[in-house]
Amino acid sequence: MTTKMAINAKELFRNQHRLIRIIEQSIRMCSNQSLNAAQQQKLQQQKPQLDTDFKITKSIASKLITAAPEPIVHDEEVGQQFSASSLSVRLAMPQQLQPKPDIDDELGFGKLFTDHMLKIYYHKSLGGWQKPEITPLENLVMHPAAKVLHYAVELFEGMKAYRGVDGKIRIFRPDMNMHRMNLAAKRSGLPTFEGEEFIKCLCRLLSIDSEWVPHTEAASLYIRPTLIGIDPTLGVAASDSALLYTILSPVGSYFKSDSTGAVSLLADPSYTRAWPGGAGNRKMGSNYAPTINVQKEASRKGLQQVLWLYGENHQLTEVGTMNIFMLFVNEKGEKELRTPPLNGLILPGITRDSILALARQWGQFKVTEDIFTMPDIKHLLNEGRLLELFGTGTACVVSPINRISYLGEDLYIPTMEQEKPIHETIRETLMDIQYGKVEHPWAVTID
Amino acid sequence: MTTKMAINAKELFRNQHRLIRIIEQSIRMCSNQSLNAAQQQKLQQQKPQLDTDFKITKSIASKLITAAPEPIVHDEEVGQQFSASSLSVRLAMPQQLQPKPDIDDELGFGKLFTDHMLKIYYHKSLGGWQKPEITPLENLVMHPAAKVLHYAVELFEGMKAYRGVDGKIRIFRPDMNMHRMNLAAKRSGLPTFEGEEFIKCLCRLLSIDSEWVPHTEAASLYIRPTLIGIDPTLGVAASDSALLYTILSPVGSYFKSDSTGAVSLLADPSYTRAWPGGAGNRKMGSNYAPTINVQKEASRKGLQQVLWLYGENHQLTEVGTMNIFMLFVNEKGEKELRTPPLNGLILPGITRDSILALARQWGQFKVTEDIFTMPDIKHLLNEGRLLELFGTGTACVVSPINRISYLGEDLYIPTMEQEKPIHETIRETLMDIQYGKVEHPWAVTID
């Protein structure tokens, strides 16, 4: 890539949205109809490209854009499903309403909560899922033998509601969260549910607490759907009672618009987050407790996050609670964006999936899902071919990495030294979608 | 070993208790003073062996008997410890008292609970551990953001109270449970505590609910100490608030006195319970949720438990929630009892530790802590050298195994075909200690 091209890359990427928008408008809300969408895209591609001054260098299969997850098949024993049409609402009394925080203050992460919550009980003995209810935010009451308290029969999702530049509230690819949540339920012996019905209930909750969605791009409303097993029996077994609930928390942006902070990592191969045959690819509570002490150790060493390695070759798998991406110049001299594959050792991040889809659409560099190791990182650093390393996730969108402490060595990563870093373009692009600056099927507007 | 010796082995083992008792009486309650204990044992060994008609064929280091765990060192940041002397008691009202179950009915496991519970809160902001309290058994009330519900910040222990033949209530090696629980707290970012103080509080709870300890050797009172993180914040971090609580549940014997049931196992190498660098050697909730679906799969195949394998050579690690032991004839023609080593992949079972100590004291066969694999099992079966395979744990004491379904093969294990099976001797010996038929320092009487 020439220098001039590199300088123009960011502008180029931003303009590409206009083309992507044209292509995607036609397939919007048709996410389950990929054949139909593919045909429409083909039609679009045959039309002259009007609203653009550049060409997409690679053809893109429509499923890369829409990536609609497979519908969940419920086990017969789950019983009746809940329906959003039977949702009941019990509003907080005026004196129960909490003052909204000043978003210029430090909101932190998940310390403040809104006025209401969503609850849906499951009781096998009562036929399955019960009626959904929105109630004031209140404490949960449970038997001390509840399985969630003993055997980590629990799973969750992380989503956000964004206040768009048009004042409308949007959520991002909620079908993906619902799909992943149901996969985790299956893995945990918890009942599966209809994601679409849940999202309808969630949208109602969001509209009730809509004033908690910050009126700024510097913050958002974090959404925490949670599913716990509450059977009051001590056998290590599937839970016949469960509670699916959701709380909302206003959170600050990890990055201010005028500055970005890079993080330093502890890479200690003596700790492993996930392993083949385990459940490291499901968003279950059990993946988190064992990481807390390791995170504390990183903090003690003055490092901000843990870089999770796996195997004798010290593969990079995740960073903190994020997926990891590397931009480098490969053996052929091409720029390549690489992230570890979905081989069971990493969480199938929705931000990860979105970045892969966008980058493949851009076609400006090679995009691969493949293993890379700490020796690879050192080798690339030595040859000056490592450009960027960053974590990705719902909370931070993108988190650039500038240092790794590994087996007594301090490795400095030049992520922040790139002139037009890819990770910034990615963050801006995703935030443009999330905050409604560009129309995109991934952003679902709450009416 | 000649046939006659084999026939007499069980009697021999039972008589050995008398000698063990003499040795151990002197070191009883001195579990932290192993040097002193060793000296005392040496003195004992110099004395003529009076109350016995056999000789111990191997010398036993005293730490094998006493195995007092190292005292826990608290991090400075934990703050104040709680003391049993400030324990408060709020008794249930007469109308709150539950009827005791008929122990001839199926008690099941952990379905019924006693009238009272023990609770000790921890609040870093209030200086550390708060005053312990015994209250009626009641629901827990917690914020829906409590860390235990999201990140599996939770750990537990399994203990039992036994009604001895003398009517007294005993617990078994409680110092071991406290040590293990504190190790798990450290691993989970939860506050550590003084195990001795906790045991004093627990003994008070047991004396209040003493009539719940079944008056039979066919049942016992299961004790479930539990430590959960209750900080109402969504960051994946150590919890600044916690609750250490204990509930009690009368449970039946896994084995009736006149019959034993052997279990069949699913050994599927595509599932892994624990791995190097993980937390599989700590009794944390996070080790259990990922096993539930695999246990369901075993049940669907008509098998009772999961045999957890590890690594490419398919090492046997645990069975269900138990440690595993194998008795076989080794290459030299010796009987050998083997269990996997404490290499981080298995829970350091207290029953496991006790069996190793007893078997080494008996000196009747070789005792090793070493890896064994499914190919080893098949090889030993082919050569007729595999004698017994059994799981061990607090709930069942000993659980003989008679069948393994492994990669499409059904392997029949002759555990139940031995004339004087070791696993029965082990169970009887441990139950003799637990139910007070022999005096032993492992059994602690509740006054």
Side-chain angles (χ1 to χ4, degrees), chain B residues 7 27 59 84 102 134 141 178 232 246 264 278 280 293 325 342 349 371:
Chain B
I7 291 167
I27 52 171
S59 72
D102 187 341
I134 287 171
V141 176
M178 291 301 100
T246 300
S264 55
N293 206 34
F325 280 81
L342 298 180
I371 286 165

Side-chain angles (χ1 to χ4, degrees), chain A residues 231-242:
Chain A
D231 237 25
T233 55
L234 294 180
V236 182
S239 189
D240 289 341
S241 297

Side-chain angles (χ1 to χ4, degrees), chain B residues 97-129:
Chain B
L97 297 176
Q98 297 294 314
K100 314 276 181 301
D102 187 341
I103 56 123
D104 290 334
D105 291 348
E106 274 307 310
L107 283 175
F109 179 77
K111 293 183 177 175
L112 294 168
F113 299 92
T114 68
D115 296 316
H116 295 88
M117 68 189 295
L118 169 66
K119 285 186 211 139
I120 315 168
Y121 280 93
Y122 175 88
H123 295 294
K124 198 169 190 174
S125 62
L126 298 178
W129 284 103

Side-chain angles (χ1 to χ4, degrees), chain A residues 28-308:
Chain A
R28 193 174 180 196
M29 309 314 284
C30 305
S31 55
N32 285 330
Q33 304 163 22
S34 57
L35 185 64
N36 188 18
Q39 287 168 341
Q40 292 195 26
Q41 194 190 15
K42 209 173 171 186
L43 283 175
Q44 288 287 345
Q45 282 168 342
Q46 288 164 354
K47 285 184 192 171
Q49 294 171 356
L50 295 176
D51 188 24
T52 175
D53 52 357
F54 57 88
K55 283 183 180 178
I56 282 191
T57 55
K58 282 184 181 176
S59 72
I60 306 298
S62 67
K63 75 183 181 72
L64 286 179
I65 305 165
T66 59
E70 295 282 310
I72 280 287
V73 179
H74 307 290
D75 283 354
E76 207 174 293
E77 61 187 18
V78 169
Q80 78 206 5
Q81 287 295 320
F82 62 82
S83 159
S85 63
S86 59
L87 173 67
S88 69
V89 177
R90 176 162 56 88
L91 292 178
M93 304 296 282
Q95 69 273 20
Q96 287 180 297
L97 298 177
Q98 297 294 314
K100 315 278 181 303
D102 187 342
I103 55 122
D104 289 336
D105 291 347
E106 275 305 309
L107 283 174
F109 179 77
K111 293 181 177 175
L112 294 168
F113 299 92
T114 68
D115 295 316
H116 295 89
M117 68 190 295
L118 170 66
K119 284 187 210 137
I120 314 168
Y121 280 92
Y122 175 88
H123 294 296
K124 197 169 189 173
S125 62
L126 298 178
W129 284 104
Q130 306 299 299
K131 289 182 181 172
E133 46 181 346
I134 287 172
T135 70
L137 181 79
E138 55 197 14
N139 283 331
L140 300 177
V141 176
M142 69 184 77
H143 193 281
K147 285 197 196 300
V148 63
L149 305 176
H150 300 265
Y151 307 124
V153 182
E154 62 193 59
L155 56 98
F156 64 94
E157 275 299 324
M159 308 166 70
K160 277 180 173 176
Y162 308 89
R163 174 80 60 183
V165 287
D166 54 1
K168 288 183 185 166
I169 297 171
R170 287 173 179 78
I171 54 178
F172 186 74
R173 306 187 75 185
D175 53 341
M176 296 287 279
N177 294 96
M178 291 302 100
H179 184 69
R180 189 168 64 177
M181 199 170 185
N182 270 300
L183 289 178
K186 287 207 168 185
R187 189 67 179 79
S188 310
L190 283 168
T192 53
F193 59 93
E194 285 295 322
E196 271 186 49
E197 295 302 307
F198 179 84
I199 292 300
K200 286 179 199 165
C201 297
L202 173 63
C203 287
R204 183 74 188 280
L205 176 66
L206 287 171
S207 71
I208 289 171
D209 277 347
S210 61
E211 273 316 298
W212 284 88
V213 184
H215 287 259
T216 166
E217 220 183 306
S220 58
L221 186 66
Y222 185 81
I223 302 166
R224 174 53 64 92
T226 311
L227 177 55
I228 60 176
I230 56 173
D231 237 25
T233 55
L234 294 180
V236 182
S239 189
D240 289 341
S241 297
L243 172 61
L244 172 60
Y245 70 96
T246 300
I247 51 179
L248 309 173
S249 171
V251 295
S253 171
Y254 268 60
F255 302 95
K256 306 297 174 195
S257 52
D258 55 352
S259 78
T260 57
V263 295
S264 56
L265 309 181
L266 171 66
D268 183 340
S270 63
Y271 295 105
T272 312
R273 195 198 75 92
W275 68 106
N281 59 345
R282 297 287 171 255
K283 217 163 170 66
M284 290 158 60
S286 53
N287 288 319
Y288 296 84
T291 71
I292 290 171
N293 206 34
V294 189
Q295 175 61 40
K296 270 175 94 172
E297 190 181 323
S299 299
R300 274 192 294 268
K301 293 185 172 172
L303 301 159
Q304 286 157 293
Q305 295 278 342
V306 177
L307 176 57
W308 296 99

